[in-house]
Amino acid sequence: LAMTAIVFILAVSGAFYALRSIAPRFRARNRVERVMLWGLLLASSIAILTTIGIVLSMLSEAARFFAAVPAADFFFGTVWDPRFAGAGSSSFGQFGLIPLLLGTVYIGLVAMLVAVPVGLFAAIYMAEYASPKVRGVAKPLLEVLAGIPTIVYGFFALVTVGPFLRDFSAQISGLLSGSYTNFIQAQSVLTAGIVMGIMLIPYVSSLSDDIITAVPRALRDGSLGLGATRSETIKKVVLPAALPGIVGALLMTASRAIGETMIVVLAAGVAARIQINPFEPMTTVTVKIVNQLTGDLEFTSPQTLVAFALGITLFCITLCLNIYALYIVRKYREQYE
């Protein structure tokens, strides 16, 4: 009854205020625009404050970790071996970031080597060569890859790609030396990079396609009118005009690759080590964040708090990539009339 009375009073008060406000000089359109402005400002503030809250929460927990573990040992350490402290011991293990950082960069680089050529060539075909009918079918089918959950890609790597590379390497070694040995493991940097590259293809193709399509038609017509072929026009006119946007799109795609977790867990393993062999397993920062936050460890222990230090490090890396991408786009963007 009290809630009903309160709602009734508010409704009557609102109706009374609305009737009092109606007048010949009342500018309803200006009031509506003001309400819309405040609504949009509120939505923007929520997004910004959420980001600030995430950063502050990670920083507060990371500060507790660095109070127990020196920052130099974390950022410049080459061994990742967090463990429980023994009886009478204050050692918490070793929390070296370098193996995780190298694994993240290595797997991301292999993924970009797979995704960039395929995605960029697919974007050029759909933007310049494909008929409207073919484009209307091929583009949605290609973008379906972006909607597949990453755990499905992980299963695909674990069941199909990894065993295929392992068996293929055994056959190659058997033909060359007569002994069937696997020099490619089922879980490896190569397996994770290939599958992650397949996942990134729709991001590269979709962004690049939109950027190439935005190049003015007058540039293409002028090049073709001067006698250039279609391929020469694409290579010497369209791609240079779209290059800043394409580079920015690739950097944003790289930040997406750096934050991937499930594919790496199933396709590259959890071994944190420093090595350059793409046929051996490695791991990334995101995988170790998941590992450190799951289990029966106390939430206040360095073994758990290190996840927040890894998270803020990964956040800074992706933020720098996105800022650099925006810088490139704004610096080298060409203005056309």
Side-chain angles (χ1 to χ4, degrees), residues 181-224:
T181 58
N182 299 323
F183 60 88
I184 299 181
Q185 299 186 24
Q187 288 186 328
S188 64
V189 173
L190 186 62
T191 303
I194 291 175
V195 177
M196 192 184 298
I198 295 174
M199 181 198 69
L200 296 176
I201 287 175
Y203 295 94
V204 177
S205 64
S206 181
L207 293 174
S208 301
D209 177 44
D210 295 337
I211 293 167
I212 293 173
T213 306
V215 175
R217 184 68 192 178
L219 294 178
R220 299 177 176 86
D221 296 339
S223 176
L224 295 173

mmCIF file of all heavy atoms in Angstrom, residues 181-224:
data_model
loop_
_atom_site.group_PDB
_atom_site.id
_atom_site.type_symbol
_atom_site.label_atom_id
_atom_site.label_comp_id
_atom_site.label_asym_id
_atom_site.label_seq_id
_atom_site.Cartn_x
_atom_site.Cartn_y
_atom_site.Cartn_z
ATOM 1 N N THR A 181 59.334 -40.094 -37.073
ATOM 2 C CA THR A 181 59.376 -39.365 -35.806
ATOM 3 C C THR A 181 58.620 -38.044 -35.973
ATOM 4 O O THR A 181 58.623 -37.434 -37.047
ATOM 5 C CB THR A 181 60.823 -39.089 -35.370
ATOM 6 O OG1 THR A 181 61.491 -38.341 -36.404
ATOM 7 C CG2 THR A 181 61.569 -40.386 -35.137
ATOM 8 N N ASN A 182 58.007 -37.612 -34.894
ATOM 9 C CA ASN A 182 57.239 -36.366 -34.922
ATOM 10 C C ASN A 182 58.132 -35.207 -34.489
ATOM 11 O O ASN A 182 58.584 -35.166 -33.338
ATOM 12 C CB ASN A 182 56.031 -36.449 -33.986
ATOM 13 C CG ASN A 182 55.073 -37.549 -34.392
ATOM 14 O OD1 ASN A 182 54.870 -37.782 -35.573
ATOM 15 N ND2 ASN A 182 54.509 -38.235 -33.415
ATOM 16 N N PHE A 183 58.449 -34.300 -35.417
ATOM 17 C CA PHE A 183 59.171 -33.111 -34.990
ATOM 18 C C PHE A 183 58.208 -31.940 -34.769
ATOM 19 O O PHE A 183 58.628 -30.862 -34.383
ATOM 20 C CB PHE A 183 60.257 -32.724 -36.001
ATOM 21 C CG PHE A 183 59.744 -32.412 -37.379
ATOM 22 C CD1 PHE A 183 59.331 -31.129 -37.710
ATOM 23 C CD2 PHE A 183 59.691 -33.394 -38.348
ATOM 24 C CE1 PHE A 183 58.878 -30.838 -38.973
ATOM 25 C CE2 PHE A 183 59.226 -33.099 -39.620
ATOM 26 C CZ PHE A 183 58.818 -31.824 -39.932
ATOM 27 N N ILE A 184 56.905 -32.154 -35.037
ATOM 28 C CA ILE A 184 55.860 -31.186 -34.689
ATOM 29 C C ILE A 184 54.937 -31.842 -33.671
ATOM 30 O O ILE A 184 54.371 -32.895 -33.934
ATOM 31 C CB ILE A 184 55.043 -30.741 -35.919
ATOM 32 C CG1 ILE A 184 55.937 -30.070 -36.959
ATOM 33 C CG2 ILE A 184 53.939 -29.780 -35.495
ATOM 34 C CD1 ILE A 184 55.185 -29.596 -38.190
ATOM 35 N N GLN A 185 54.792 -31.230 -32.505
ATOM 36 C CA GLN A 185 53.898 -31.755 -31.490
ATOM 37 C C GLN A 185 52.471 -31.301 -31.759
ATOM 38 O O GLN A 185 52.223 -30.299 -32.439
ATOM 39 C CB GLN A 185 54.347 -31.292 -30.106
ATOM 40 C CG GLN A 185 55.742 -31.760 -29.718
ATOM 41 C CD GLN A 185 56.070 -31.409 -28.290
ATOM 42 O OE1 GLN A 185 55.186 -31.223 -27.457
ATOM 43 N NE2 GLN A 185 57.353 -31.326 -27.994
ATOM 44 N N ALA A 186 51.525 -32.071 -31.232
ATOM 45 C CA ALA A 186 50.122 -31.719 -31.428
ATOM 46 C C ALA A 186 49.813 -30.370 -30.794
ATOM 47 O O ALA A 186 49.050 -29.562 -31.348
ATOM 48 C CB ALA A 186 49.218 -32.803 -30.844
ATOM 49 N N GLN A 187 50.382 -30.100 -29.623
ATOM 50 C CA GLN A 187 50.264 -28.790 -28.990
ATOM 51 C C GLN A 187 51.541 -28.009 -29.247
ATOM 52 O O GLN A 187 52.616 -28.394 -28.777
ATOM 53 C CB GLN A 187 50.025 -28.931 -27.491
ATOM 54 C CG GLN A 187 48.639 -29.424 -27.125
ATOM 55 C CD GLN A 187 48.402 -29.404 -25.635
ATOM 56 O OE1 GLN A 187 49.323 -29.604 -24.846
ATOM 57 N NE2 GLN A 187 47.162 -29.168 -25.233
ATOM 58 N N SER A 188 51.428 -26.940 -29.998
ATOM 59 C CA SER A 188 52.615 -26.173 -30.378
ATOM 60 C C SER A 188 52.205 -24.751 -30.709
ATOM 61 O O SER A 188 51.011 -24.432 -30.855
ATOM 62 C CB SER A 188 53.313 -26.819 -31.574
ATOM 63 O OG SER A 188 52.476 -26.787 -32.712
ATOM 64 N N VAL A 189 53.217 -23.902 -30.851
ATOM 65 C CA VAL A 189 52.989 -22.522 -31.261
ATOM 66 C C VAL A 189 52.357 -22.474 -32.643
ATOM 67 O O VAL A 189 51.457 -21.667 -32.920
ATOM 68 C CB VAL A 189 54.315 -21.742 -31.232
ATOM 69 C CG1 VAL A 189 54.138 -20.347 -31.814
ATOM 70 C CG2 VAL A 189 54.852 -21.660 -29.815
ATOM 71 N N LEU A 190 52.813 -23.345 -33.535
ATOM 72 C CA LEU A 190 52.295 -23.363 -34.899
ATOM 73 C C LEU A 190 50.815 -23.718 -34.929
ATOM 74 O O LEU A 190 50.021 -23.096 -35.658
ATOM 75 C CB LEU A 190 53.101 -24.350 -35.742
ATOM 76 C CG LEU A 190 52.777 -24.395 -37.236
ATOM 77 C CD1 LEU A 190 53.065 -23.049 -37.879
ATOM 78 C CD2 LEU A 190 53.576 -25.498 -37.917
ATOM 79 N N THR A 191 50.422 -24.724 -34.160
ATOM 80 C CA THR A 191 49.009 -25.123 -34.123
ATOM 81 C C THR A 191 48.134 -23.980 -33.620
ATOM 82 O O THR A 191 47.106 -23.640 -34.232
ATOM 83 C CB THR A 191 48.827 -26.348 -33.227
ATOM 84 O OG1 THR A 191 49.653 -27.416 -33.702
ATOM 85 C CG2 THR A 191 47.387 -26.806 -33.213
ATOM 86 N N ALA A 192 48.526 -23.382 -32.506
ATOM 87 C CA ALA A 192 47.735 -22.273 -31.955
ATOM 88 C C ALA A 192 47.723 -21.090 -32.907
ATOM 89 O O ALA A 192 46.685 -20.431 -33.074
ATOM 90 C CB ALA A 192 48.294 -21.868 -30.596
ATOM 91 N N GLY A 193 48.852 -20.789 -33.546
ATOM 92 C CA GLY A 193 48.907 -19.654 -34.454
ATOM 93 C C GLY A 193 48.029 -19.841 -35.673
ATOM 94 O O GLY A 193 47.339 -18.911 -36.109
ATOM 95 N N ILE A 194 48.017 -21.044 -36.239
ATOM 96 C CA ILE A 194 47.196 -21.299 -37.427
ATOM 97 C C ILE A 194 45.714 -21.168 -37.104
ATOM 98 O O ILE A 194 44.950 -20.500 -37.810
ATOM 99 C CB ILE A 194 47.511 -22.697 -37.999
ATOM 100 C CG1 ILE A 194 48.920 -22.720 -38.606
ATOM 101 C CG2 ILE A 194 46.484 -23.093 -39.048
ATOM 102 C CD1 ILE A 194 49.355 -24.080 -39.089
ATOM 103 N N VAL A 195 45.277 -21.795 -36.015
ATOM 104 C CA VAL A 195 43.857 -21.757 -35.662
ATOM 105 C C VAL A 195 43.446 -20.344 -35.242
ATOM 106 O O VAL A 195 42.360 -19.860 -35.606
ATOM 107 C CB VAL A 195 43.559 -22.771 -34.551
ATOM 108 C CG1 VAL A 195 42.095 -22.696 -34.127
ATOM 109 C CG2 VAL A 195 43.885 -24.173 -35.020
ATOM 110 N N MET A 196 44.288 -19.655 -34.513
ATOM 111 C CA MET A 196 43.961 -18.280 -34.140
ATOM 112 C C MET A 196 43.927 -17.380 -35.371
ATOM 113 O O MET A 196 43.103 -16.459 -35.464
ATOM 114 C CB MET A 196 44.982 -17.747 -33.124
ATOM 115 C CG MET A 196 44.557 -16.442 -32.475
ATOM 116 S SD MET A 196 45.811 -15.770 -31.368
ATOM 117 C CE MET A 196 45.920 -17.085 -30.157
ATOM 118 N N GLY A 197 44.810 -17.639 -36.336
ATOM 119 C CA GLY A 197 44.774 -16.876 -37.579
ATOM 120 C C GLY A 197 43.476 -17.087 -38.332
ATOM 121 O O GLY A 197 42.909 -16.143 -38.908
ATOM 122 N N ILE A 198 42.971 -18.332 -38.338
ATOM 123 C CA ILE A 198 41.674 -18.603 -38.972
ATOM 124 C C ILE A 198 40.574 -17.821 -38.262
ATOM 125 O O ILE A 198 39.660 -17.281 -38.907
ATOM 126 C CB ILE A 198 41.383 -20.113 -38.947
ATOM 127 C CG1 ILE A 198 42.414 -20.860 -39.805
ATOM 128 C CG2 ILE A 198 39.973 -20.405 -39.426
ATOM 129 C CD1 ILE A 198 42.293 -22.368 -39.720
ATOM 130 N N MET A 199 40.656 -17.736 -36.948
ATOM 131 C CA MET A 199 39.651 -16.981 -36.200
ATOM 132 C C MET A 199 39.714 -15.495 -36.527
ATOM 133 O O MET A 199 38.672 -14.804 -36.542
ATOM 134 C CB MET A 199 39.868 -17.185 -34.703
ATOM 135 C CG MET A 199 38.866 -16.459 -33.823
ATOM 136 S SD MET A 199 39.403 -16.276 -32.113
ATOM 137 C CE MET A 199 40.740 -15.100 -32.300
ATOM 138 N N LEU A 200 40.905 -14.956 -36.813
ATOM 139 C CA LEU A 200 41.070 -13.528 -37.057
ATOM 140 C C LEU A 200 40.780 -13.115 -38.489
ATOM 141 O O LEU A 200 40.712 -11.917 -38.782
ATOM 142 C CB LEU A 200 42.497 -13.105 -36.693
ATOM 143 C CG LEU A 200 42.902 -13.246 -35.227
ATOM 144 C CD1 LEU A 200 44.359 -12.880 -35.043
ATOM 145 C CD2 LEU A 200 42.029 -12.382 -34.335
ATOM 146 N N ILE A 201 40.634 -14.084 -39.398
ATOM 147 C CA ILE A 201 40.404 -13.746 -40.809
ATOM 148 C C ILE A 201 39.193 -12.844 -40.997
ATOM 149 O O ILE A 201 39.269 -11.839 -41.720
ATOM 150 C CB ILE A 201 40.284 -15.037 -41.648
ATOM 151 C CG1 ILE A 201 41.657 -15.689 -41.808
ATOM 152 C CG2 ILE A 201 39.686 -14.740 -43.020
ATOM 153 C CD1 ILE A 201 41.617 -17.027 -42.520
ATOM 154 N N PRO A 202 38.024 -13.132 -40.388
ATOM 155 C CA PRO A 202 36.883 -12.224 -40.611
ATOM 156 C C PRO A 202 37.106 -10.819 -40.088
ATOM 157 O O PRO A 202 36.576 -9.859 -40.660
ATOM 158 C CB PRO A 202 35.731 -12.921 -39.876
ATOM 159 C CG PRO A 202 36.378 -13.850 -38.918
ATOM 160 C CD PRO A 202 37.641 -14.292 -39.574
ATOM 161 N N TYR A 203 37.888 -10.659 -39.005
ATOM 162 C CA TYR A 203 38.175 -9.319 -38.513
ATOM 163 C C TYR A 203 38.987 -8.533 -39.535
ATOM 164 O O TYR A 203 38.679 -7.379 -39.851
ATOM 165 C CB TYR A 203 38.932 -9.394 -37.181
ATOM 166 C CG TYR A 203 38.145 -10.006 -36.054
ATOM 167 C CD1 TYR A 203 38.255 -11.362 -35.759
ATOM 168 C CD2 TYR A 203 37.273 -9.250 -35.283
ATOM 169 C CE1 TYR A 203 37.528 -11.935 -34.724
ATOM 170 C CE2 TYR A 203 36.545 -9.810 -34.249
ATOM 171 C CZ TYR A 203 36.681 -11.155 -33.976
ATOM 172 O OH TYR A 203 35.956 -11.717 -32.957
ATOM 173 N N VAL A 204 40.035 -9.157 -40.057
ATOM 174 C CA VAL A 204 40.879 -8.478 -41.033
ATOM 175 C C VAL A 204 40.095 -8.185 -42.307
ATOM 176 O O VAL A 204 40.142 -7.068 -42.840
ATOM 177 C CB VAL A 204 42.128 -9.333 -41.347
ATOM 178 C CG1 VAL A 204 42.980 -8.655 -42.415
ATOM 179 C CG2 VAL A 204 42.951 -9.562 -40.088
ATOM 180 N N SER A 205 39.376 -9.171 -42.817
ATOM 181 C CA SER A 205 38.665 -8.998 -44.083
ATOM 182 C C SER A 205 37.540 -7.976 -43.968
ATOM 183 O O SER A 205 37.355 -7.136 -44.863
ATOM 184 C CB SER A 205 38.111 -10.346 -44.563
ATOM 185 O OG SER A 205 37.141 -10.833 -43.652
ATOM 186 N N SER A 206 36.776 -8.017 -42.894
ATOM 187 C CA SER A 206 35.653 -7.103 -42.755
ATOM 188 C C SER A 206 36.117 -5.661 -42.612
ATOM 189 O O SER A 206 35.612 -4.756 -43.301
ATOM 190 C CB SER A 206 34.801 -7.506 -41.542
ATOM 191 O OG SER A 206 33.700 -6.644 -41.395
ATOM 192 N N LEU A 207 37.093 -5.428 -41.737
ATOM 193 C CA LEU A 207 37.596 -4.069 -41.555
ATOM 194 C C LEU A 207 38.273 -3.552 -42.819
ATOM 195 O O LEU A 207 38.042 -2.414 -43.243
ATOM 196 C CB LEU A 207 38.567 -4.029 -40.373
ATOM 197 C CG LEU A 207 37.973 -4.280 -38.985
ATOM 198 C CD1 LEU A 207 39.069 -4.368 -37.939
ATOM 199 C CD2 LEU A 207 36.988 -3.192 -38.619
ATOM 200 N N SER A 208 39.100 -4.388 -43.450
ATOM 201 C CA SER A 208 39.800 -3.960 -44.661
ATOM 202 C C SER A 208 38.817 -3.731 -45.803
ATOM 203 O O SER A 208 39.002 -2.805 -46.612
ATOM 204 C CB SER A 208 40.844 -5.007 -45.065
ATOM 205 O OG SER A 208 41.792 -5.204 -44.032
ATOM 206 N N ASP A 209 37.799 -4.567 -45.897
ATOM 207 C CA ASP A 209 36.797 -4.395 -46.952
ATOM 208 C C ASP A 209 36.087 -3.052 -46.818
ATOM 209 O O ASP A 209 35.896 -2.331 -47.810
ATOM 210 C CB ASP A 209 35.798 -5.548 -46.884
ATOM 211 C CG ASP A 209 34.695 -5.396 -47.912
ATOM 212 O OD1 ASP A 209 35.004 -5.054 -49.062
ATOM 213 O OD2 ASP A 209 33.527 -5.613 -47.570
ATOM 214 N N ASP A 210 35.697 -2.690 -45.607
ATOM 215 C CA ASP A 210 35.034 -1.399 -45.401
ATOM 216 C C ASP A 210 35.964 -0.240 -45.740
ATOM 217 O O ASP A 210 35.529 0.777 -46.306
ATOM 218 C CB ASP A 210 34.557 -1.287 -43.958
ATOM 219 C CG ASP A 210 33.479 -2.305 -43.618
ATOM 220 O OD1 ASP A 210 32.811 -2.781 -44.558
ATOM 221 O OD2 ASP A 210 33.328 -2.639 -42.429
ATOM 222 N N ILE A 211 37.240 -0.379 -45.399
ATOM 223 C CA ILE A 211 38.196 0.700 -45.666
ATOM 224 C C ILE A 211 38.458 0.835 -47.163
ATOM 225 O O ILE A 211 38.506 1.945 -47.710
ATOM 226 C CB ILE A 211 39.502 0.440 -44.899
ATOM 227 C CG1 ILE A 211 39.249 0.547 -43.392
ATOM 228 C CG2 ILE A 211 40.583 1.429 -45.315
ATOM 229 C CD1 ILE A 211 40.370 0.015 -42.542
ATOM 230 N N ILE A 212 38.630 -0.284 -47.862
ATOM 231 C CA ILE A 212 38.878 -0.234 -49.303
ATOM 232 C C ILE A 212 37.653 0.298 -50.038
ATOM 233 O O ILE A 212 37.769 1.086 -50.989
ATOM 234 C CB ILE A 212 39.265 -1.638 -49.814
ATOM 235 C CG1 ILE A 212 40.616 -2.051 -49.237
ATOM 236 C CG2 ILE A 212 39.326 -1.669 -51.336
ATOM 237 C CD1 ILE A 212 41.008 -3.481 -49.540
ATOM 238 N N THR A 213 36.472 -0.112 -49.611
ATOM 239 C CA THR A 213 35.242 0.367 -50.251
ATOM 240 C C THR A 213 35.062 1.872 -50.069
ATOM 241 O O THR A 213 34.447 2.539 -50.916
ATOM 242 C CB THR A 213 34.032 -0.390 -49.679
ATOM 243 O OG1 THR A 213 34.248 -1.799 -49.796
ATOM 244 C CG2 THR A 213 32.759 -0.034 -50.413
ATOM 245 N N ALA A 214 35.597 2.428 -48.976
ATOM 246 C CA ALA A 214 35.448 3.857 -48.710
ATOM 247 C C ALA A 214 36.332 4.729 -49.595
ATOM 248 O O ALA A 214 36.159 5.951 -49.613
ATOM 249 C CB ALA A 214 35.749 4.144 -47.243
ATOM 250 N N VAL A 215 37.288 4.149 -50.310
ATOM 251 C CA VAL A 215 38.128 4.943 -51.219
ATOM 252 C C VAL A 215 37.244 5.476 -52.343
ATOM 253 O O VAL A 215 36.483 4.719 -52.951
ATOM 254 C CB VAL A 215 39.272 4.074 -51.783
ATOM 255 C CG1 VAL A 215 40.079 4.859 -52.811
ATOM 256 C CG2 VAL A 215 40.178 3.605 -50.655
ATOM 257 N N PRO A 216 37.315 6.768 -52.641
ATOM 258 C CA PRO A 216 36.416 7.350 -53.639
ATOM 259 C C PRO A 216 36.518 6.671 -55.001
ATOM 260 O O PRO A 216 37.603 6.303 -55.453
ATOM 261 C CB PRO A 216 36.867 8.813 -53.712
ATOM 262 C CG PRO A 216 37.520 9.072 -52.405
ATOM 263 C CD PRO A 216 38.159 7.786 -52.001
ATOM 264 N N ARG A 217 35.385 6.548 -55.648
ATOM 265 C CA ARG A 217 35.337 5.917 -56.966
ATOM 266 C C ARG A 217 36.086 6.735 -58.014
ATOM 267 O O ARG A 217 36.603 6.190 -58.994
ATOM 268 C CB ARG A 217 33.873 5.745 -57.380
ATOM 269 C CG ARG A 217 33.664 5.007 -58.688
ATOM 270 C CD ARG A 217 34.071 3.571 -58.544
ATOM 271 N NE ARG A 217 34.164 2.898 -59.830
ATOM 272 C CZ ARG A 217 34.550 1.636 -59.963
ATOM 273 N NH1 ARG A 217 34.891 0.929 -58.887
ATOM 274 N NH2 ARG A 217 34.610 1.088 -61.146
ATOM 275 N N ALA A 218 36.191 8.041 -57.812
ATOM 276 C CA ALA A 218 36.869 8.893 -58.786
ATOM 277 C C ALA A 218 38.342 8.510 -58.950
ATOM 278 O O ALA A 218 38.899 8.632 -60.052
ATOM 279 C CB ALA A 218 36.753 10.354 -58.362
ATOM 280 N N LEU A 219 38.977 8.032 -57.877
ATOM 281 C CA LEU A 219 40.378 7.621 -57.983
ATOM 282 C C LEU A 219 40.513 6.400 -58.881
ATOM 283 O O LEU A 219 41.442 6.319 -59.703
ATOM 284 C CB LEU A 219 40.933 7.331 -56.590
ATOM 285 C CG LEU A 219 41.036 8.523 -55.640
ATOM 286 C CD1 LEU A 219 41.553 8.078 -54.289
ATOM 287 C CD2 LEU A 219 41.954 9.585 -56.225
ATOM 288 N N ARG A 220 39.606 5.453 -58.733
ATOM 289 C CA ARG A 220 39.658 4.268 -59.591
ATOM 290 C C ARG A 220 39.395 4.643 -61.047
ATOM 291 O O ARG A 220 40.102 4.197 -61.953
ATOM 292 C CB ARG A 220 38.629 3.239 -59.126
ATOM 293 C CG ARG A 220 38.834 2.719 -57.707
ATOM 294 C CD ARG A 220 37.700 1.771 -57.341
ATOM 295 N NE ARG A 220 37.874 1.162 -56.040
ATOM 296 C CZ ARG A 220 37.494 1.701 -54.903
ATOM 297 N NH1 ARG A 220 36.925 2.901 -54.904
ATOM 298 N NH2 ARG A 220 37.676 1.074 -53.761
ATOM 299 N N ASP A 221 38.382 5.468 -61.275
ATOM 300 C CA ASP A 221 38.049 5.857 -62.643
ATOM 301 C C ASP A 221 39.180 6.635 -63.295
ATOM 302 O O ASP A 221 39.472 6.453 -64.490
ATOM 303 C CB ASP A 221 36.767 6.683 -62.651
ATOM 304 C CG ASP A 221 35.555 5.881 -62.185
ATOM 305 O OD1 ASP A 221 35.624 4.627 -62.255
ATOM 306 O OD2 ASP A 221 34.569 6.497 -61.752
ATOM 307 N N GLY A 222 39.830 7.500 -62.519
ATOM 308 C CA GLY A 222 40.948 8.251 -63.072
ATOM 309 C C GLY A 222 42.110 7.360 -63.455
ATOM 310 O O GLY A 222 42.730 7.535 -64.514
ATOM 311 N N SER A 223 42.419 6.384 -62.611
ATOM 312 C CA SER A 223 43.509 5.460 -62.913
ATOM 313 C C SER A 223 43.186 4.604 -64.133
ATOM 314 O O SER A 223 44.027 4.416 -65.025
ATOM 315 C CB SER A 223 43.792 4.574 -61.704
ATOM 316 O OG SER A 223 44.774 3.604 -61.996
ATOM 317 N N LEU A 224 41.965 4.087 -64.198
ATOM 318 C CA LEU A 224 41.564 3.279 -65.344
ATOM 319 C C LEU A 224 41.511 4.129 -66.623
ATOM 320 O O LEU A 224 41.848 3.650 -67.710
ATOM 321 C CB LEU A 224 40.203 2.635 -65.083
ATOM 322 C CG LEU A 224 40.157 1.611 -63.942
ATOM 323 C CD1 LEU A 224 38.718 1.172 -63.670
ATOM 324 C CD2 LEU A 224 41.021 0.390 -64.258
#
